[in-house]
Amino acid sequence: MPTPLFLRPAEGWVGDLIPFHRDGRVNLFFLHDLRDDRRPGMSWNLYTTSDFAHYDDHGVSLPHGTPSDQDLNAYTGSVVEHEGTVHLFYTGYNPAFPSPRTGGVSQVVMHATSTDGMATWTKHPEHTFGAPDGYAPGDWRDPFVFRPDPEGPWRMLLAARTDDGRPYRRSGVIAQAVSDDLESWEVVEPFWSPGRYITHECPEVFQIGDWWYLVFSEFSDHFVTRYRMSRSPLGPWTVPEHDTIDGRAFYAAKSAELDGSRYFAGWIPTREGSTDSGAWQWAGHLSAHVAVQRGDGTLAFAMPPALHATFTDRRQPPFDPILGDWVDSGEALGAVVPDSYAVAVTPEAPRQFLFEATIDVGANTTECGVILRSSADGEEGYVIRLEPRAGRMVFDRWPRPRTGDGQWQISGDISHEVELERPVAIAPGAHRLQVLVDDSACVAYLDGSVAMSARMYDRQTGGVGLFVGEGRAAFTDVSIATRQ
């Protein structure tokens, strides 16, 4: 059985990731979600990696507290090292500790340190602090600590909300506290207050070259991780044309530098009942993208190179034309269907694989792409569809749910999995599509630039299909690769 592409603990699921680079490896702390109705508490567990292709599982790193401790649930935070001591800042939550100001839910910032290489942690409950006046005590979490000026103070960013009467959906801010000793903190003016979202979860700031980046996750509009850009670590922040790292199925991503590259680690959420129509759930499987800085400072997101290199067994599968006129030149498989549809399908595909193809898209083509776990006729499966006219890549599935026995009673008013679409310019010419598939999870990458994660539950078997709709497309360098 090959090693999973997307990790989860033997028991439970991967929640928010907290990456921390040290000694040539990235420590991927994560919230260990047991989904236990008894709510026994949440700890930080740990994976480590040197390439984002191979991982070591270290189990629990920071244990959660007891029912009488304020950190019964140890939620998201950050890790920094200073003068030989590693400092871990995290969110503490225990419903037995209501806010002394409001009597309602209270989240607090907590502190732990390690001097033995993070083998053990010493907690410092005396350093705990909650939201001051002007902020909602129930949203005071995800402390991110950094020091942009080596001579200046440490800065802590927090996912917070004001309680100054703003509309709830626009009350989110990234609060800010400063410290000279990493122990006592003074809350100062907000770091960022755009009036856009309920909260800005898992904030972080980092630098690549001359650009600084602010990253946060929001569940107000699209439930995605976004980024902003500036020439200064303190802003002002500008919005890139496409400001999301992935879509709905990749959340709470944070990053770390490794060997000169910036990697984002997040989680692919599961769906309730392990069905395609189930509601998205909190936590899931670990997944990672590598960020590539373009000339204008914007970020592209690609497959980690070391992960790609693990697929050593490549084959060029045969495709059987099902609909339309296909021409196989030996180097390319192409179809020209000006006002029609063409599909070709392979036999059964493995449970875990990497699909790759270069798609030469003709001018004015409506759609083209790949069908995963396709039926023999190409009419059932999961579709990764390039839509040049709409400027997007989408994830779709067929058949759609039926609402009755009538011929018209099909969910045709839903154009695709609406939350699973990625904006991208698809000009006429060659585009490289890569798709990782493992069990219920998949991630598609287009042109080493745009990432789209998804889930596939209801169909567990099938082949791979190629399709073209109303236009022309040729598929070259097509392969299905597996790992030994």
Side-chain angles (χ1 to χ4, degrees), residues 169-210:
R169 190 168 67 88
R170 304 189 180 280
S171 62
V173 299
I174 295 181
Q176 180 179 204
V178 295
S179 175
D180 292 324
D181 60 7
L182 293 169
E183 294 182 0
S184 59
W185 293 87
E186 176 190 2
V187 178
V188 295
E189 70 284 349
F191 185 81
W192 195 51
S193 181
R196 288 292 310 275
Y197 308 110
I198 296 171
T199 64
H200 311 88
E201 294 195 299
C202 304
E204 71 164 341
V205 171
F206 61 85
Q207 183 180 19
I208 302 178
D210 295 331

mmCIF file of all heavy atoms in Angstrom, residues 169-210:
data_model
loop_
_atom_site.group_PDB
_atom_site.id
_atom_site.type_symbol
_atom_site.label_atom_id
_atom_site.label_comp_id
_atom_site.label_asym_id
_atom_site.label_seq_id
_atom_site.Cartn_x
_atom_site.Cartn_y
_atom_site.Cartn_z
ATOM 1 N N ARG A 169 -20.804 40.979 10.311
ATOM 2 C CA ARG A 169 -20.011 40.403 9.220
ATOM 3 C C ARG A 169 -18.822 41.278 8.861
ATOM 4 O O ARG A 169 -17.915 40.822 8.168
ATOM 5 C CB ARG A 169 -20.897 40.175 7.988
ATOM 6 C CG ARG A 169 -20.236 39.370 6.883
ATOM 7 C CD ARG A 169 -21.251 38.926 5.837
ATOM 8 N NE ARG A 169 -21.814 40.029 5.087
ATOM 9 C CZ ARG A 169 -21.269 40.532 3.976
ATOM 10 N NH1 ARG A 169 -20.142 40.027 3.511
ATOM 11 N NH2 ARG A 169 -21.848 41.514 3.326
ATOM 12 N N ARG A 170 -18.791 42.500 9.348
ATOM 13 C CA ARG A 170 -17.693 43.415 9.018
ATOM 14 C C ARG A 170 -16.893 43.842 10.253
ATOM 15 O O ARG A 170 -16.145 44.805 10.221
ATOM 16 C CB ARG A 170 -18.239 44.642 8.302
ATOM 17 C CG ARG A 170 -19.025 44.277 7.054
ATOM 18 C CD ARG A 170 -19.401 45.461 6.204
ATOM 19 N NE ARG A 170 -20.163 45.045 5.018
ATOM 20 C CZ ARG A 170 -19.628 44.541 3.921
ATOM 21 N NH1 ARG A 170 -18.314 44.372 3.851
ATOM 22 N NH2 ARG A 170 -20.377 44.176 2.906
ATOM 23 N N SER A 171 -17.055 43.092 11.334
ATOM 24 C CA SER A 171 -16.423 43.496 12.592
ATOM 25 C C SER A 171 -15.040 42.887 12.797
ATOM 26 O O SER A 171 -14.373 43.183 13.795
ATOM 27 C CB SER A 171 -17.318 43.109 13.772
ATOM 28 O OG SER A 171 -17.503 41.700 13.826
ATOM 29 N N GLY A 172 -14.584 42.050 11.865
ATOM 30 C CA GLY A 172 -13.289 41.409 12.035
ATOM 31 C C GLY A 172 -12.131 42.369 11.837
ATOM 32 O O GLY A 172 -12.151 43.232 10.953
ATOM 33 N N VAL A 173 -11.104 42.234 12.683
ATOM 34 C CA VAL A 173 -9.859 42.974 12.545
ATOM 35 C C VAL A 173 -8.705 42.031 12.864
ATOM 36 O O VAL A 173 -8.888 40.997 13.500
ATOM 37 C CB VAL A 173 -9.783 44.197 13.489
ATOM 38 C CG1 VAL A 173 -10.899 45.177 13.204
ATOM 39 C CG2 VAL A 173 -9.824 43.750 14.958
ATOM 40 N N ILE A 174 -7.529 42.385 12.400
ATOM 41 C CA ILE A 174 -6.324 41.740 12.898
ATOM 42 C C ILE A 174 -5.782 42.651 13.980
ATOM 43 O O ILE A 174 -5.254 43.739 13.708
ATOM 44 C CB ILE A 174 -5.288 41.516 11.783
ATOM 45 C CG1 ILE A 174 -5.843 40.528 10.749
ATOM 46 C CG2 ILE A 174 -3.986 40.970 12.368
ATOM 47 C CD1 ILE A 174 -4.895 40.223 9.608
ATOM 48 N N ALA A 175 -5.995 42.232 15.231
ATOM 49 C CA ALA A 175 -5.515 43.015 16.366
ATOM 50 C C ALA A 175 -4.002 42.869 16.477
ATOM 51 O O ALA A 175 -3.392 41.981 15.867
ATOM 52 C CB ALA A 175 -6.200 42.565 17.649
ATOM 53 N N GLN A 176 -3.391 43.738 17.284
ATOM 54 C CA GLN A 176 -1.935 43.761 17.392
ATOM 55 C C GLN A 176 -1.509 44.058 18.821
ATOM 56 O O GLN A 176 -2.083 44.920 19.491
ATOM 57 C CB GLN A 176 -1.374 44.833 16.448
ATOM 58 C CG GLN A 176 0.129 44.965 16.469
ATOM 59 C CD GLN A 176 0.627 46.024 15.488
ATOM 60 O OE1 GLN A 176 1.769 45.961 15.049
ATOM 61 N NE2 GLN A 176 -0.214 46.995 15.142
ATOM 62 N N ALA A 177 -0.511 43.316 19.277
ATOM 63 C CA ALA A 177 0.120 43.584 20.563
ATOM 64 C C ALA A 177 1.628 43.604 20.356
ATOM 65 O O ALA A 177 2.146 42.991 19.416
ATOM 66 C CB ALA A 177 -0.270 42.525 21.597
ATOM 67 N N VAL A 178 2.341 44.330 21.200
ATOM 68 C CA VAL A 178 3.796 44.433 21.083
ATOM 69 C C VAL A 178 4.443 44.050 22.408
ATOM 70 O O VAL A 178 3.846 44.170 23.485
ATOM 71 C CB VAL A 178 4.235 45.856 20.665
ATOM 72 C CG1 VAL A 178 3.722 46.184 19.264
ATOM 73 C CG2 VAL A 178 3.752 46.894 21.672
ATOM 74 N N SER A 179 5.698 43.575 22.305
ATOM 75 C CA SER A 179 6.432 43.133 23.487
ATOM 76 C C SER A 179 7.930 43.255 23.242
ATOM 77 O O SER A 179 8.393 43.075 22.111
ATOM 78 C CB SER A 179 6.085 41.678 23.821
ATOM 79 O OG SER A 179 6.872 41.184 24.885
ATOM 80 N N ASP A 180 8.671 43.513 24.311
ATOM 81 C CA ASP A 180 10.128 43.524 24.231
ATOM 82 C C ASP A 180 10.745 42.248 24.792
ATOM 83 O O ASP A 180 11.934 41.998 24.576
ATOM 84 C CB ASP A 180 10.688 44.729 24.995
ATOM 85 C CG ASP A 180 10.357 46.056 24.336
ATOM 86 O OD1 ASP A 180 10.346 46.101 23.086
ATOM 87 O OD2 ASP A 180 10.096 47.039 25.061
ATOM 88 N N ASP A 181 9.942 41.442 25.517
ATOM 89 C CA ASP A 181 10.510 40.276 26.193
ATOM 90 C C ASP A 181 9.771 38.971 25.917
ATOM 91 O O ASP A 181 10.105 37.933 26.502
ATOM 92 C CB ASP A 181 10.541 40.525 27.710
ATOM 93 C CG ASP A 181 9.170 40.783 28.306
ATOM 94 O OD1 ASP A 181 8.159 40.639 27.584
ATOM 95 O OD2 ASP A 181 9.102 41.141 29.500
ATOM 96 N N LEU A 182 8.743 39.000 25.056
ATOM 97 C CA LEU A 182 7.954 37.818 24.715
ATOM 98 C C LEU A 182 7.178 37.270 25.909
ATOM 99 O O LEU A 182 6.690 36.129 25.872
ATOM 100 C CB LEU A 182 8.830 36.704 24.109
ATOM 101 C CG LEU A 182 9.449 37.008 22.744
ATOM 102 C CD1 LEU A 182 10.494 35.950 22.378
ATOM 103 C CD2 LEU A 182 8.367 37.069 21.667
ATOM 104 N N GLU A 183 7.032 38.087 26.944
ATOM 105 C CA GLU A 183 6.272 37.664 28.121
ATOM 106 C C GLU A 183 5.097 38.590 28.408
ATOM 107 O O GLU A 183 3.969 38.137 28.569
ATOM 108 C CB GLU A 183 7.194 37.579 29.345
ATOM 109 C CG GLU A 183 8.256 36.489 29.248
ATOM 110 C CD GLU A 183 9.118 36.388 30.484
ATOM 111 O OE1 GLU A 183 8.886 37.183 31.444
ATOM 112 O OE2 GLU A 183 10.022 35.534 30.529
ATOM 113 N N SER A 184 5.367 39.877 28.476
ATOM 114 C CA SER A 184 4.299 40.853 28.711
ATOM 115 C C SER A 184 3.981 41.560 27.400
ATOM 116 O O SER A 184 4.889 41.948 26.652
ATOM 117 C CB SER A 184 4.722 41.860 29.781
ATOM 118 O OG SER A 184 5.895 42.554 29.390
ATOM 119 N N TRP A 185 2.684 41.726 27.133
ATOM 120 C CA TRP A 185 2.236 42.264 25.855
ATOM 121 C C TRP A 185 1.310 43.458 26.057
ATOM 122 O O TRP A 185 0.449 43.447 26.932
ATOM 123 C CB TRP A 185 1.508 41.182 25.051
ATOM 124 C CG TRP A 185 2.431 40.069 24.627
ATOM 125 C CD1 TRP A 185 2.748 38.958 25.343
ATOM 126 C CD2 TRP A 185 3.164 39.994 23.401
ATOM 127 N NE1 TRP A 185 3.640 38.170 24.641
ATOM 128 C CE2 TRP A 185 3.902 38.783 23.432
ATOM 129 C CE3 TRP A 185 3.253 40.802 22.267
ATOM 130 C CZ2 TRP A 185 4.730 38.379 22.390
ATOM 131 C CZ3 TRP A 185 4.069 40.406 21.222
ATOM 132 C CH2 TRP A 185 4.801 39.209 21.287
ATOM 133 N N GLU A 186 1.492 44.456 25.216
ATOM 134 C CA GLU A 186 0.638 45.636 25.231
ATOM 135 C C GLU A 186 -0.172 45.670 23.938
ATOM 136 O O GLU A 186 0.386 45.658 22.831
ATOM 137 C CB GLU A 186 1.471 46.909 25.331
ATOM 138 C CG GLU A 186 0.646 48.181 25.257
ATOM 139 C CD GLU A 186 1.497 49.432 25.128
ATOM 140 O OE1 GLU A 186 2.740 49.315 25.065
ATOM 141 O OE2 GLU A 186 0.903 50.536 25.067
ATOM 142 N N VAL A 187 -1.489 45.688 24.056
ATOM 143 C CA VAL A 187 -2.356 45.772 22.887
ATOM 144 C C VAL A 187 -2.344 47.200 22.364
ATOM 145 O O VAL A 187 -2.582 48.156 23.114
ATOM 146 C CB VAL A 187 -3.792 45.328 23.229
ATOM 147 C CG1 VAL A 187 -4.697 45.475 22.006
ATOM 148 C CG2 VAL A 187 -3.796 43.887 23.716
ATOM 149 N N VAL A 188 -2.040 47.350 21.090
ATOM 150 C CA VAL A 188 -1.967 48.677 20.461
ATOM 151 C C VAL A 188 -3.005 48.730 19.335
ATOM 152 O O VAL A 188 -3.918 47.921 19.282
ATOM 153 C CB VAL A 188 -0.538 48.958 19.944
ATOM 154 C CG1 VAL A 188 0.446 49.043 21.111
ATOM 155 C CG2 VAL A 188 -0.077 47.885 18.957
ATOM 156 N N GLU A 189 -2.847 49.705 18.433
ATOM 157 C CA GLU A 189 -3.828 49.881 17.370
ATOM 158 C C GLU A 189 -3.898 48.624 16.494
ATOM 159 O O GLU A 189 -2.919 47.895 16.348
ATOM 160 C CB GLU A 189 -3.476 51.094 16.507
ATOM 161 C CG GLU A 189 -2.244 50.946 15.628
ATOM 162 C CD GLU A 189 -0.931 51.055 16.386
ATOM 163 O OE1 GLU A 189 -0.955 51.457 17.568
ATOM 164 O OE2 GLU A 189 0.127 50.738 15.792
ATOM 165 N N PRO A 190 -5.057 48.368 15.891
ATOM 166 C CA PRO A 190 -5.177 47.177 15.034
ATOM 167 C C PRO A 190 -4.153 47.192 13.911
ATOM 168 O O PRO A 190 -3.801 48.243 13.375
ATOM 169 C CB PRO A 190 -6.604 47.274 14.482
ATOM 170 C CG PRO A 190 -7.346 48.083 15.485
ATOM 171 C CD PRO A 190 -6.347 49.076 16.016
ATOM 172 N N PHE A 191 -3.683 46.009 13.556
ATOM 173 C CA PHE A 191 -2.731 45.867 12.457
ATOM 174 C C PHE A 191 -3.416 46.063 11.110
ATOM 175 O O PHE A 191 -2.845 46.628 10.179
ATOM 176 C CB PHE A 191 -2.105 44.465 12.532
ATOM 177 C CG PHE A 191 -1.018 44.218 11.533
ATOM 178 C CD1 PHE A 191 0.275 44.668 11.753
ATOM 179 C CD2 PHE A 191 -1.274 43.498 10.367
ATOM 180 C CE1 PHE A 191 1.289 44.434 10.840
ATOM 181 C CE2 PHE A 191 -0.270 43.250 9.445
ATOM 182 C CZ PHE A 191 1.011 43.728 9.677
ATOM 183 N N TRP A 192 -4.679 45.588 11.015
ATOM 184 C CA TRP A 192 -5.428 45.682 9.748
ATOM 185 C C TRP A 192 -6.906 45.630 10.077
ATOM 186 O O TRP A 192 -7.351 44.789 10.848
ATOM 187 C CB TRP A 192 -5.039 44.541 8.830
ATOM 188 C CG TRP A 192 -5.447 44.700 7.392
ATOM 189 C CD1 TRP A 192 -5.223 45.771 6.587
ATOM 190 C CD2 TRP A 192 -6.152 43.740 6.597
ATOM 191 N NE1 TRP A 192 -5.724 45.550 5.327
ATOM 192 C CE2 TRP A 192 -6.293 44.295 5.300
ATOM 193 C CE3 TRP A 192 -6.644 42.470 6.826
ATOM 194 C CZ2 TRP A 192 -6.939 43.633 4.254
ATOM 195 C CZ3 TRP A 192 -7.275 41.793 5.796
ATOM 196 C CH2 TRP A 192 -7.419 42.374 4.526
ATOM 197 N N SER A 193 -7.670 46.540 9.506
ATOM 198 C CA SER A 193 -9.096 46.630 9.797
ATOM 199 C C SER A 193 -9.859 47.017 8.536
ATOM 200 O O SER A 193 -10.290 48.152 8.371
ATOM 201 C CB SER A 193 -9.337 47.663 10.910
ATOM 202 O OG SER A 193 -10.706 47.755 11.235
ATOM 203 N N PRO A 194 -10.063 46.059 7.608
ATOM 204 C CA PRO A 194 -10.649 46.392 6.308
ATOM 205 C C PRO A 194 -12.172 46.453 6.276
ATOM 206 O O PRO A 194 -12.750 46.855 5.271
ATOM 207 C CB PRO A 194 -10.148 45.252 5.419
ATOM 208 C CG PRO A 194 -10.102 44.081 6.348
ATOM 209 C CD PRO A 194 -9.641 44.642 7.676
ATOM 210 N N GLY A 195 -12.854 46.024 7.364
ATOM 211 C CA GLY A 195 -14.306 46.015 7.353
ATOM 212 C C GLY A 195 -14.892 45.037 6.353
ATOM 213 O O GLY A 195 -15.961 45.278 5.791
ATOM 214 N N ARG A 196 -14.216 43.899 6.144
ATOM 215 C CA ARG A 196 -14.636 42.965 5.105
ATOM 216 C C ARG A 196 -15.214 41.659 5.656
ATOM 217 O O ARG A 196 -16.126 41.116 5.058
ATOM 218 C CB ARG A 196 -13.447 42.622 4.193
ATOM 219 C CG ARG A 196 -12.986 43.716 3.258
ATOM 220 C CD ARG A 196 -14.026 44.017 2.186
ATOM 221 N NE ARG A 196 -14.526 42.836 1.500
ATOM 222 C CZ ARG A 196 -13.936 42.254 0.458
ATOM 223 N NH1 ARG A 196 -12.791 42.756 -0.013
ATOM 224 N NH2 ARG A 196 -14.456 41.201 -0.113
ATOM 225 N N TYR A 197 -14.672 41.150 6.756
ATOM 226 C CA TYR A 197 -14.996 39.784 7.146
ATOM 227 C C TYR A 197 -15.338 39.694 8.633
ATOM 228 O O TYR A 197 -15.090 40.616 9.413
ATOM 229 C CB TYR A 197 -13.824 38.854 6.839
ATOM 230 C CG TYR A 197 -13.333 38.974 5.411
ATOM 231 C CD1 TYR A 197 -12.100 39.553 5.121
ATOM 232 C CD2 TYR A 197 -14.122 38.539 4.346
ATOM 233 C CE1 TYR A 197 -11.654 39.674 3.811
ATOM 234 C CE2 TYR A 197 -13.690 38.648 3.042
ATOM 235 C CZ TYR A 197 -12.452 39.221 2.771
ATOM 236 O OH TYR A 197 -12.034 39.347 1.484
ATOM 237 N N ILE A 198 -15.873 38.527 9.038
ATOM 238 C CA ILE A 198 -16.198 38.314 10.446
ATOM 239 C C ILE A 198 -14.919 38.243 11.271
ATOM 240 O O ILE A 198 -14.810 38.874 12.328
ATOM 241 C CB ILE A 198 -17.014 37.020 10.621
ATOM 242 C CG1 ILE A 198 -18.358 37.148 9.897
ATOM 243 C CG2 ILE A 198 -17.258 36.722 12.104
ATOM 244 C CD1 ILE A 198 -19.139 35.848 9.827
ATOM 245 N N THR A 199 -13.971 37.441 10.832
ATOM 246 C CA THR A 199 -12.634 37.425 11.436
ATOM 247 C C THR A 199 -11.624 37.108 10.343
ATOM 248 O O THR A 199 -11.979 36.636 9.268
ATOM 249 C CB THR A 199 -12.477 36.370 12.562
ATOM 250 O OG1 THR A 199 -12.624 35.071 12.011
ATOM 251 C CG2 THR A 199 -13.477 36.573 13.678
ATOM 252 N N HIS A 200 -10.375 37.352 10.658
ATOM 253 C CA HIS A 200 -9.267 37.018 9.757
ATOM 254 C C HIS A 200 -8.444 35.949 10.469
ATOM 255 O O HIS A 200 -7.480 36.250 11.173
ATOM 256 C CB HIS A 200 -8.424 38.251 9.460
ATOM 257 C CG HIS A 200 -9.237 39.444 9.046
ATOM 258 N ND1 HIS A 200 -9.765 40.332 9.961
ATOM 259 C CD2 HIS A 200 -9.624 39.883 7.833
ATOM 260 C CE1 HIS A 200 -10.443 41.269 9.314
ATOM 261 N NE2 HIS A 200 -10.370 41.024 8.029
ATOM 262 N N GLU A 201 -8.835 34.697 10.274
ATOM 263 C CA GLU A 201 -8.226 33.606 11.033
ATOM 264 C C GLU A 201 -6.801 33.338 10.564
ATOM 265 O O GLU A 201 -6.433 33.596 9.416
ATOM 266 C CB GLU A 201 -9.069 32.341 10.892
ATOM 267 C CG GLU A 201 -10.443 32.451 11.530
ATOM 268 C CD GLU A 201 -11.107 31.107 11.692
ATOM 269 O OE1 GLU A 201 -11.337 30.423 10.675
ATOM 270 O OE2 GLU A 201 -11.394 30.738 12.841
ATOM 271 N N CYS A 202 -6.025 32.766 11.485
ATOM 272 C CA CYS A 202 -4.670 32.296 11.187
ATOM 273 C C CYS A 202 -3.837 33.337 10.428
ATOM 274 O O CYS A 202 -3.256 33.038 9.373
ATOM 275 C CB CYS A 202 -4.714 30.998 10.394
ATOM 276 S SG CYS A 202 -5.645 29.686 11.198
ATOM 277 N N PRO A 203 -3.741 34.570 10.932
ATOM 278 C CA PRO A 203 -2.952 35.568 10.213
ATOM 279 C C PRO A 203 -1.461 35.277 10.298
ATOM 280 O O PRO A 203 -0.972 34.689 11.265
ATOM 281 C CB PRO A 203 -3.296 36.867 10.939
ATOM 282 C CG PRO A 203 -3.594 36.432 12.348
ATOM 283 C CD PRO A 203 -4.278 35.094 12.194
ATOM 284 N N GLU A 204 -0.733 35.672 9.274
ATOM 285 C CA GLU A 204 0.724 35.617 9.295
ATOM 286 C C GLU A 204 1.268 36.663 8.328
ATOM 287 O O GLU A 204 0.585 37.076 7.385
ATOM 288 C CB GLU A 204 1.260 34.231 8.945
ATOM 289 C CG GLU A 204 1.083 33.839 7.483
ATOM 290 C CD GLU A 204 1.945 32.645 7.083
ATOM 291 O OE1 GLU A 204 2.920 32.341 7.788
ATOM 292 O OE2 GLU A 204 1.644 32.024 6.042
ATOM 293 N N VAL A 205 2.519 37.060 8.560
ATOM 294 C CA VAL A 205 3.227 37.998 7.687
ATOM 295 C C VAL A 205 4.609 37.423 7.411
ATOM 296 O O VAL A 205 5.277 36.914 8.316
ATOM 297 C CB VAL A 205 3.350 39.390 8.339
ATOM 298 C CG1 VAL A 205 4.279 40.296 7.527
ATOM 299 C CG2 VAL A 205 1.983 40.042 8.480
ATOM 300 N N PHE A 206 5.039 37.478 6.142
ATOM 301 C CA PHE A 206 6.377 37.020 5.793
ATOM 302 C C PHE A 206 6.884 37.836 4.613
ATOM 303 O O PHE A 206 6.122 38.576 3.970
ATOM 304 C CB PHE A 206 6.393 35.522 5.473
ATOM 305 C CG PHE A 206 5.531 35.128 4.305
ATOM 306 C CD1 PHE A 206 6.006 35.200 2.987
ATOM 307 C CD2 PHE A 206 4.232 34.687 4.506
ATOM 308 C CE1 PHE A 206 5.213 34.838 1.916
ATOM 309 C CE2 PHE A 206 3.431 34.321 3.436
ATOM 310 C CZ PHE A 206 3.918 34.396 2.135
ATOM 311 N N GLN A 207 8.173 37.669 4.321
ATOM 312 C CA GLN A 207 8.813 38.440 3.255
ATOM 313 C C GLN A 207 9.419 37.501 2.217
ATOM 314 O O GLN A 207 10.013 36.475 2.557
ATOM 315 C CB GLN A 207 9.915 39.325 3.835
ATOM 316 C CG GLN A 207 10.604 40.232 2.833
ATOM 317 C CD GLN A 207 11.695 41.088 3.466
ATOM 318 O OE1 GLN A 207 12.181 40.777 4.564
ATOM 319 N NE2 GLN A 207 12.082 42.154 2.795
ATOM 320 N N ILE A 208 9.249 37.856 0.936
ATOM 321 C CA ILE A 208 9.983 37.242 -0.165
ATOM 322 C C ILE A 208 10.556 38.375 -1.002
ATOM 323 O O ILE A 208 9.803 39.157 -1.591
ATOM 324 C CB ILE A 208 9.100 36.338 -1.048
ATOM 325 C CG1 ILE A 208 8.444 35.220 -0.239
ATOM 326 C CG2 ILE A 208 9.933 35.732 -2.179
ATOM 327 C CD1 ILE A 208 7.515 34.334 -1.055
ATOM 328 N N GLY A 209 11.866 38.488 -1.022
ATOM 329 C CA GLY A 209 12.493 39.571 -1.778
ATOM 330 C C GLY A 209 12.082 40.927 -1.250
ATOM 331 O O GLY A 209 12.162 41.187 -0.041
ATOM 332 N N ASP A 210 11.619 41.790 -2.137
ATOM 333 C CA ASP A 210 11.218 43.140 -1.745
ATOM 334 C C ASP A 210 9.767 43.237 -1.303
ATOM 335 O O ASP A 210 9.307 44.326 -0.941
ATOM 336 C CB ASP A 210 11.431 44.117 -2.925
ATOM 337 C CG ASP A 210 12.896 44.259 -3.295
ATOM 338 O OD1 ASP A 210 13.748 44.103 -2.394
ATOM 339 O OD2 ASP A 210 13.183 44.521 -4.477
#
